[in-house]
Amino acid sequence: MRQVRRGQARPGPGPDAPPYGGVPRQPSYVDGQGYDDGYDNGYDSGYNTGQVYGAPGGPGGPQGPGPTGTRGPRPAPNWRRRIKWTAITLVTVLVAVSVGTYFWADSKLHRDVDLSKVIDRPEAGSGTNYLIVGSDSRAGMSAEEKKKLHTGSAEGKRTDSMMILHTGSNGSTLISLPRDSNVTIPTFRGSESGKIKGPLGTNKLNAAYAFDGPTLLVRTVEYNTGLHIDHYVEIGFAGFANIVDAVGGVEMNLDKGFKDKYSGADFKAGKQTLNGEQALAFVRTRHAFAASDLERTKNQQKFLAALAHQVATPSTVLNPFKLYPTMGAGLDSLTVDKDMSLWDLGDMFWAMKGVTGGDGKSMNMPISGSSGGNLVWDKAKVKTLVSELKNDEKVTVSGN
């Protein structure tokens, strides 16, 4: 057998045999920089680079994302981007709410009056003319409500108030038409039969409404004034009271107190807030006044001024819990013509608010006397008034 002497080099290439009886040399830790095994074999345990066990700079170190390390400083927030997206979100929500409110409100309008049935209409002039009617309709009212509101239980429908509101470039004008005005009720097309009827001769203005409703009333107003009516708006007893209650009452300052057993009015002089029941009594009262219907029309204009002011206050407009009930009560109560839009209704409301706030003119139809208990219009003044309205000129005529 071939003998190999101790200390003799191994045959073939490779490192020297390990000392210490053939046991491989163990690595040692040198200067905190890792292990030194005496060989340059290219192996990196990770200690030299700090890539293990939370060494600084490594994945688990103070600047790495490891579970035991501390995260580095966060990047500064992009405020411009945040403000941009916040604004976009707010605008989107506002548009969605506005569109939803518009369609909700539009769906509540009762467009039941067809002005195309009105015959022989005068030519339209400049500006827009609204015929605003307060009817004594008791539709949908219970016996208890009729008693509470002192409406009685008369059959049919009549008009307690009628006004023409003109809007245009020279301001707005609100003209009250006394219900006892002596007028001619001309030929007309029946609202249901479609047949030509009449004429019905001389009568009170509110009789036209009682005979054939809104379209005959419009026909009668146009015939006796020569003024084209563009839109028709009507509100009944219950609806009027509901609007006042929804807005939280309307403050009035009365020069003197009055009572009327027919309307249920019982007011003292001075400042006070009227609820729906009291407001209805206030605008209906005429028996307590010597001027009867003329005084009532003036009170109606005063109340509409106060109501418009109350509805337009920030406490109502900016409070959805008050705004939506008020809008709902108002829209549910209105009967309008088929061509009336929410924009037209808004124009009418703001024009009334402007007139009653001093930005315009409010008046009664000029009266020259009476005949058989009915009020006779002053034809010369009415002619001038209508001419000024048609041409959208500043109104110079005064009423009673």
Side-chain angles (χ1 to χ4, degrees), residues 69-342:
T70 304
R71 292 184 179 274
R74 295 182 178 180
N78 189 336
W79 288 108
R80 180 176 296 178
R81 182 182 178 86
R82 290 187 180 184
I83 292 173
K84 171 186 174 182
W85 283 106
T86 299
I88 291 175
T89 301
L90 290 176
V91 170
T92 301
V93 171
L94 181 60
V95 170
V97 170
S98 300
V99 171
T101 299
Y102 177 87
F103 284 104
W104 166 77
D106 189 72
S107 67
K108 283 184 166 292
L109 276 180
H110 302 286
R111 296 182 174 91
D112 299 332
V113 180
D114 187 359
L115 295 183
S116 67
K117 294 181 178 180
V118 180
I119 63 173
D120 299 333
R121 310 194 66 186
E123 184 179 352
S126 301
T128 304
N129 299 310
Y130 300 87
L131 180 59
I132 304 169
V133 174
S135 75
D136 65 357
S137 172
R138 301 160 178 81
M141 294 177 64
S142 64
E144 183 179 350
E145 288 174 324
K146 292 176 184 178
K147 181 178 180 180
K148 178 182 177 182
L149 298 177
H150 300 272
T151 65
S153 299
E155 296 297 328
K157 293 171 61 177
R158 282 156 293 278
T159 54
D160 266 16
S161 62
M162 291 162 281
M163 302 178 186
I164 294 175
L165 174 67
H166 173 84
T167 65
S169 57
N170 276 298
S172 303
T173 304
L174 184 64
I175 308 160
S176 289
L177 309 176
R179 73 170 195 171
D180 293 338
S181 296
N182 197 64
V183 297
T184 299
I185 301 179
T187 56
F188 63 98
R189 177 181 286 116
S191 58
E192 295 184 1
S193 67
K195 297 179 179 179
I196 300 299
K197 299 181 179 181
L200 301 181
T202 302
N203 210 321
K204 294 181 179 181
L205 179 59
N206 70 336
Y209 184 93
F211 286 144
D212 200 54
T215 54
L216 179 53
L217 179 61
V218 170
R219 165 71 171 138
T220 302
V221 170
E222 290 186 340
Y223 180 85
N224 286 271
T225 63
L227 189 66
H228 181 90
I229 299 299
D230 299 290
H231 293 292
Y232 177 90
V233 181
E234 178 187 328
I235 185 169
F237 280 161
F240 181 83
N242 289 340
I243 293 174
V244 175
D245 285 334
V247 82
V250 175
E251 187 177 274
M252 296 288 294
N253 193 1
L254 306 184
D255 296 330
K256 57 183 180 180
F258 58 87
K259 292 183 178 182
D260 181 9
K261 66 178 182 180
Y262 296 99
S263 66
D266 186 1
F267 300 107
K268 292 180 173 60
K271 187 176 292 187
Q272 53 207 285
T273 299
L274 308 187
N275 60 25
E277 177 185 347
Q278 294 168 325
L280 184 59
F282 180 80
V283 299
R284 293 183 61 217
T285 296
R286 66 189 181 102
H287 296 283
F289 311 123
S292 189
D293 208 32
L294 288 177
E295 186 66 26
R296 174 167 67 173
T297 58
K298 292 178 182 178
N299 281 343
Q300 289 170 348
Q301 290 184 355
K302 290 178 183 177
F303 185 82
L304 288 177
L307 177 59
H309 175 76
Q310 179 67 29
V311 171
T313 56
S315 63
T316 299
V317 175
L318 300 180
N319 183 355
F321 297 102
K322 184 179 286 188
L323 175 62
Y324 282 95
T326 301
M327 289 179 61
L331 295 170
D332 276 339
S333 308
L334 295 179
T335 298
V336 300
D337 64 271
K338 293 184 180 298
D339 294 326
M340 173 75 85
S341 69
L342 286 179

Side-chain angles (χ1 to χ4, degrees), residues 321-390:
F321 297 102
K322 184 179 286 188
L323 175 62
Y324 282 95
T326 301
M327 289 179 61
L331 295 170
D332 276 339
S333 308
L334 295 179
T335 298
V336 300
D337 64 271
K338 293 184 180 298
D339 294 326
M340 173 75 85
S341 69
L342 286 179
W343 304 115
D344 296 321
L345 201 59
D347 173 67
M348 184 195 79
F349 172 78
W350 289 109
M352 287 188 69
K353 181 179 181 298
V355 168
T356 53
D359 184 20
K361 185 180 180 70
S362 59
M363 57 183 288
N364 274 327
M365 184 64 82
I367 303 297
S368 62
S370 62
S371 175
N374 297 341
L375 299 172
V376 178
W377 294 354
D378 187 317
K379 293 183 179 180
K381 287 186 177 181
V382 170
K383 183 177 180 180
T384 301
L385 172 62
V386 171
S387 176
E388 290 173 341
L389 294 177
K390 275 189 171 183

Side-chain angles (χ1 to χ4, degrees), residues 16-38:
D16 294 340
Y20 314 116
V23 178
R25 184 179 179 181
Q26 300 298 308
S28 62
Y29 191 72
V30 180
D31 297 329
Q33 299 298 318
Y35 288 95
D36 180 13
D37 58 2

